[in-house]
Amino acid sequence: MEHEDRPELRHHFADVVQQRNAASLGMWWFLGTEIMFFGGMFCGYLIYRRAYFPEFAAGSISLNLLAGTLNTAVLICSSLTVALAVRASQLGRRKQLVNLLLATIFFGVCFLVVKGFEWRKEYTEHHIPTFYFNAQDMIQRNPDLHIDPQHAKIFFSLYFALTGVHALHMIVGIGIFGVITFMAWRGKFTPEYHTPVEIAGLYWHFVDIVWIYLFPLLYLIDRRGP
Amino acid sequence: MAEHTEHSDHIMSSSFYWLIWAILIAATFLTAKIATIDLGMFNTIVALFIATCKASIVVLFFMHVKYTSEKMTKAVLLAAVFWLLLLLVLSLADYSTRYAG
């Protein structure tokens, strides 16, 4: 009996392959709901960007392009370490797997630190959409754009909602990878059973993809100026 | 490039993943550079095109969709993308024609 010599195989699955496909499919369904979740915000963003383009352009220019590009690169590096970690688990290389998972967590934390510095800069510039919101610097820097502060506020509301929810997903991802790293360190994964590494990897790649779209949509709206 | 184990796992060589990484990094710096060149309305289109290429590469190779034998995975992915396009295209079509004339 296959169930007796495989403690990781739950009794309601016929074999390991079926169990793994079911787990993987479950994660894909979850990612489908995540696409719907982010899709609504992206849709709102696109509609307002069309309606208030000058304010969105001015707001986008006030963001730090270097920090945005760097963070995109950091997330791509983390996706590489995740892909290599899944490979290490397929090959049963425990030490390499733990190191790659730790590297992923490191890149994730790097991303959040850079994002934190960016938010701090926006706080000191009074760009957080509260009672203290102030668009005077954007008006002065773009005299020919006719900036309406209320519309600029909408850009920053969407900016903080999108990057905030994305950062929340990063924090959750780092937590998941912390657990996976602990399991890998304890030697829970073998070439036959490494489903948790695989589906946690799917989640991480998805969060990377969200940022791949956020980067051009938020940072690169109108960088053509001198 | 891909070899079979007993559970038909596709194990890619690590140099293949490094190649994918190099392409994604190059595309990131390329899109940041292109954004500074004035292409008129094509700036947004090029930026979103590059983003879609990058996302497709991540889905196909890092998320192994290209090598999966599970047709359901592809069906779920296509259904989710289709839903997203339905939302974006119909909403934007509505907003861009509503106040016309």
Side-chain angles (χ1 to χ4, degrees):
Chain A
M1 283 296 287
E2 202 174 3
H3 284 83
E4 277 156 20
D5 50 318
R6 289 192 189 281
E8 75 276 3
L9 180 60
R10 302 298 169 91
H11 71 276
H12 47 282
F13 290 111
D15 53 44
V16 191
V17 178
Q18 188 200 31
Q19 173 171 291
R20 201 180 58 186
N21 285 343
S24 169
L25 185 63
M27 183 45 99
W28 278 102
W29 275 120
F30 173 69
L31 295 185
T33 69
E34 288 276 78
I35 289 176
M36 295 183 195
F37 175 69
F38 279 100
M41 274 191 289
F42 273 105
C43 188
Y45 165 87
L46 288 172
I47 288 165
Y48 278 112
R49 170 192 164 128
R50 221 191 122 268
Y52 307 139
F53 187 80
E55 290 83 0
F56 273 53
S60 170
I61 293 165
S62 81
L63 304 177
N64 188 335
L65 178 59
L66 182 67
T69 314
L70 191 76
N71 254 353
T72 312
V74 165
L75 274 194
I76 289 170
C77 291
S78 76
S79 262
L80 172 72
T81 56
V82 168
L84 291 174
V86 172
R87 182 175 180 274
S89 72
Q90 287 169 334
L91 293 169
R93 296 178 185 164
R94 176 172 153 258
K95 196 157 178 260
Q96 194 186 30
L97 171 62
V98 171
N99 287 339
L100 285 164
L101 291 172
L102 287 174
T104 306
I105 293 173
F106 170 76
F107 284 128
V109 171
C110 279
F111 175 92
L112 288 175
V113 168
V114 173
K115 199 71 230 155
F117 276 108
E118 282 186 77
W119 282 332
R120 188 171 169 273
K121 176 177 162 280
E122 277 126 28
Y123 169 74
T124 56
E125 288 178 345
H126 297 282
H127 284 172
I128 295 181
T130 58
F131 295 119
Y132 304 102
F133 182 79
N134 193 330
Q136 279 308 314
D137 56 328
M138 278 186 269
I139 294 169
Q140 278 159 16
R141 250 182 282 144
N142 308 283
D144 46 332
L145 281 181
H146 307 295
I147 304 284
D148 181 337
Q150 286 305 312
H151 298 170
K153 208 172 181 176
I154 290 177
F155 171 78
F156 279 102
S157 300
L158 284 162
Y159 166 82
F160 280 106
L162 284 163
T163 58
V165 169
H166 179 266
L168 191 66
H169 278 77
M170 291 291 299
I171 292 166
V172 170
I174 290 169
I176 292 170
F177 269 73
V179 175
I180 297 288
T181 309
F182 182 70
M183 288 167 80
W185 176 67
R186 293 276 300 272
K188 293 262 185 207
F189 304 124
T190 58
E192 290 76 34
Y193 176 73
H194 54 266
T195 312
V197 184
E198 222 173 87
I199 61 174
L202 289 178
Y203 173 83
W204 192 277
H205 290 308
F206 171 80
V207 177
D208 183 17
I209 288 171
V210 171
W211 184 261
I212 283 174
Y213 279 100
L214 283 181
F215 171 59
L217 286 177
L218 293 174
Y219 290 79
L220 305 177
I221 293 178
D222 192 4
R223 293 277 175 183
R224 293 167 293 176
Chain B
M1 195 182 293
E3 57 193 66
H4 284 266
T5 66
E6 54 167 326
H7 299 296
S8 67
D9 239 352
H10 284 270
I11 304 181
M12 316 298 292
S13 71
S14 54
S15 55
F16 178 75
Y17 286 129
W18 280 97
L19 175 71
I20 298 296
W21 171 82
I23 293 170
L24 290 172
I25 292 283
T28 300
F29 286 98
L30 182 73
T31 190
K33 184 69 201 157
I34 288 178
T36 62
I37 303 166
D38 192 351
L39 301 172
M41 64 174 288
F42 287 101
N43 275 104
T44 306
I45 294 168
V46 171
L48 286 179
F49 176 73
I50 293 177
T52 303
C53 289
K54 286 165 71 183
S56 307
I57 289 171
V58 171
V59 167
L60 287 176
F61 301 109
F62 278 172
M63 296 168 96
H64 299 137
V65 167
K66 190 172 183 346
Y67 305 101
T68 183
S69 51
E70 266 301 289
K71 287 197 176 64
M72 268 308 275
T73 304
K74 288 171 186 170
V76 170
L77 178 64
L78 287 176
V81 171
F82 176 73
W83 179 89
L84 182 66
L85 288 176
L86 211 60
L87 172 75
L88 296 181
V89 171
L90 292 184
S91 304
L92 287 171
D94 180 12
Y95 275 91
S96 49
T97 52
R98 185 177 290 198
Y99 308 108

